[in-house]
Amino acid sequence: MMSNPLTLDQLVPKNLTKFFVESPRLFRTSKNIQILVLRQTQDFAIFRTEETRELNLVTLPKSALDKTPTAKVVMLASKQKAPENRLYHNLLRTAAEEVGYKLDDVQRQCELKDNLCQKCPRCILFGSVTVEKGGQERWNIKHRIEYSSAYSVEPYEEIYEILTFNAVDSVTQSTGQALGYTENIQPLTTLPSIITLNSVTLEEFVAYLKTLMACKSYGAETRVKGDMVNHI
């Protein structure tokens, strides 16, 4: 016998209900929910922003008790937000289609980053700025989701690895001299992160949790690298 599906109220802990708002608001309130996420790499991954193609690094104390300076890999907040922003939008668009909700033309054409509709759930949670022709800003929706940068638990020296790549001749299938190399972090590296949701509805909260559980590709070269699992 199949059991009845759980409702949203049954999925969310009772002690969180007082931190939700009934409907999305233009102005933020003091109601915050923070999510602790342990992001763990399942494949080689690359987190970089510099033209030197080196990993992003930061020097921190080794621990709360040991103040020895230690190099750690940092996954910047922007590298976490971007893939989750896109997936949140795709999941909600798919959900709308499955339940037969008809999006209007503006919502269907909403795309990052230069064609935001400012009407869909993505724009309302992640924020949106659009500019009219002539450079005049039309409207600014303040984001209600904030990310912290994530620093590797393990020291940089223990988790980095240099991988070279070669060109393959399509006729002979032979490889020539190595074309270059990339600096990667190894699988099973753990990067704790805190996400803060401000003035969210119950539905927004559940939709974002689904996004966290579904999102798996982060960093550079995600076609062949960057698989991660988010432990909430």
Side-chain angles (χ1 to χ4, degrees):
M1 178 182 295
M2 295 183 63
S3 59
N4 294 327
L6 295 176
T7 64
L8 290 181
D9 292 327
Q10 292 173 315
L11 288 170
V12 177
K14 296 296 183 184
N15 60 346
L16 287 182
T17 55
K18 63 182 179 180
F19 296 104
F20 296 121
V21 297
E22 292 186 2
S23 60
R25 301 187 180 188
L26 286 177
F27 300 101
R28 296 165 27 140
T29 70
S30 60
K31 294 184 176 182
N32 293 302
I33 297 175
Q34 291 190 307
I35 305 171
L36 173 61
V37 183
L38 298 180
R39 304 184 186 276
Q40 187 178 64
T41 59
Q42 302 295 297
D43 197 350
F44 290 101
I46 302 173
F47 303 121
R48 67 187 180 211
T49 54
E50 304 299 331
E51 294 181 358
T52 56
R53 301 175 67 84
E54 297 173 348
L55 293 173
N56 291 325
L57 300 178
V58 65
T59 301
L60 296 173
K62 189 172 185 179
S63 69
L65 300 177
D66 185 350
K67 304 303 181 182
T68 305
T70 307
K72 301 290 186 76
V73 174
V74 56
M75 184 182 182
L76 298 175
S78 59
K79 301 299 181 182
Q80 304 168 57
K81 175 185 175 181
E84 292 170 12
N85 191 344
R86 292 190 294 268
L87 183 58
Y88 184 86
H89 181 61
N90 292 339
L91 288 178
L92 289 175
R93 181 178 290 180
T94 301
E97 294 175 352
E98 289 182 349
V99 300
Y101 180 83
K102 184 174 177 56
L103 301 174
D104 62 31
D105 292 339
V106 176
Q107 290 173 321
R108 284 199 301 271
Q109 295 169 7
C110 180
E111 296 292 345
L112 290 170
K113 62 180 176 44
D114 298 323
N115 191 36
L116 299 175
C117 70
Q118 301 195 313
K119 296 173 62 177
C120 70
R122 190 228 69 84
C123 289
I124 295 172
L125 178 62
F126 281 85
S128 170
V129 176
T130 61
V131 178
E132 294 281 13
K133 292 183 179 179
Q136 295 297 316
E137 187 176 292
R138 185 181 69 189
W139 184 250
N140 181 0
I141 298 178
K142 181 69 174 177
H143 67 269
R144 290 180 292 119
I145 181 169
E146 299 173 358
Y147 288 82
S148 69
S149 292
Y151 307 104
S152 63
V153 172
E154 304 84 357
Y156 163 72
E157 293 81 3
E158 295 180 8
I159 58 175
Y160 88 96
E161 187 162 338
I162 302 297
L163 299 179
T164 60
F165 54 90
N166 304 74
V168 180
D169 188 294
S170 59
V171 177
T172 64
Q173 294 299 303
S174 62
T175 58
Q177 185 178 1
L179 291 178
Y181 68 91
T182 57
E183 191 176 18
N184 302 254
I185 60 173
Q186 298 173 353
L188 301 183
T189 296
T190 304
L191 301 108
S193 175
I194 295 177
I195 298 111
T196 303
L197 301 174
N198 177 273
S199 308
V200 295
T201 65
L202 172 61
E203 291 79 9
E204 286 176 321
F205 179 71
V206 172
Y208 182 69
L209 288 184
K210 288 178 176 289
T211 301
L212 269 181
M213 291 185 286
C215 197
K216 74 176 196 69
S217 297
Y218 294 85
E221 301 183 14
T222 53
R223 182 171 60 88
V224 293
K225 298 177 182 177
D227 282 358
M228 299 188 73
V229 169
N230 294 319
H231 301 282
I232 302 172

